[in-house]
Amino acid sequence: MRNVAVPAAVVLAGVLGLAACGGSTEGGDQTVRTADRGAAPDGKTDTPLANTDPCSLLKPADVPELSQKSGAAAKTAGRWCQGSGYGIFISEVDLKGYFGLFKNPTVKPIPDIAGYPAGTIEVAASGASTCAVLLAVTTHEVVTVTADTCDIGRKAATAIAGRIPR
């Protein structure tokens, strides 16, 4: 597997740019049904991964296709984890950013992953392609998994979804 650092950085910049673009929160959006469960009665929004090391969310055995080399541990930089052939980013967004991501035409909706709304973005840069899988933990917290293919990204996102505290 190749290192996806450069394409992952491009995807991450695009994802964050999409979140910054915002979008409408009107119109009875069905996607919010699962993601909004983090809202507390006092109006504060729960971010269950706020103090989580993103590298702790994925183990080598979870997705053998990542061909993680022994001794080549993933590196954490804040809310970003870079491994061999993948990346994980935990981002906090407001409702406008959430709808900007999940209502953007570049995000292809996919079936929920472990009850979390999900979508994919495929990006080709510098002759390499990367897929970002977006996983809406709540309407205020999104996990982005980058991988060489969307199939591998979905497998990684599924493993990650199983480690999100409920």
Side-chain angles (χ1 to χ4, degrees):
M1 285 263 145
R2 68 185 186 279
N3 187 342
V4 295
V6 173
V10 171
V11 170
L12 181 58
V15 168
L16 294 177
L18 290 174
C21 291
S24 173
T25 59
E26 299 173 14
D29 179 54
Q30 292 270 0
T31 309
V32 144
R33 73 199 180 286
T34 303
D36 200 33
R37 71 171 156 262
D42 62 2
K44 292 184 181 177
T45 301
D46 191 13
T47 52
L49 298 174
N51 296 313
T52 302
D53 173 358
C55 287
S56 70
L57 296 173
L58 190 64
K59 307 295 180 210
D62 293 336
V63 186
E65 295 89 343
L66 292 175
S67 70
Q68 300 168 26
K69 302 171 189 146
S70 77
K75 308 263 190 280
T76 302
R79 306 215 28 150
W80 174 257
C81 173
Q82 181 66 49
S84 176
Y86 70 96
I88 303 167
F89 182 70
I90 302 170
S91 58
E92 291 182 21
V93 295
D94 59 12
L95 279 176
K96 190 174 181 181
Y98 172 87
F99 284 100
L101 285 172
F102 285 93
K103 291 295 188 181
N104 191 291
T106 61
V107 177
K108 177 184 172 190
I110 60 173
D112 289 0
I113 296 175
Y116 297 104
T120 60
I121 302 172
E122 293 187 67
V123 175
S126 303
S129 66
T130 299
C131 180
V133 177
L134 307 174
L135 190 63
V137 177
T138 69
T139 53
H140 288 75
E141 193 167 55
V142 175
V143 174
T144 303
V145 181
T146 59
D148 291 339
T149 69
C150 288
D151 184 49
I152 293 172
R154 280 190 298 273
K155 287 179 184 179
T158 300
I160 289 167
R163 291 193 174 89
I164 296 171
R166 295 201 186 242

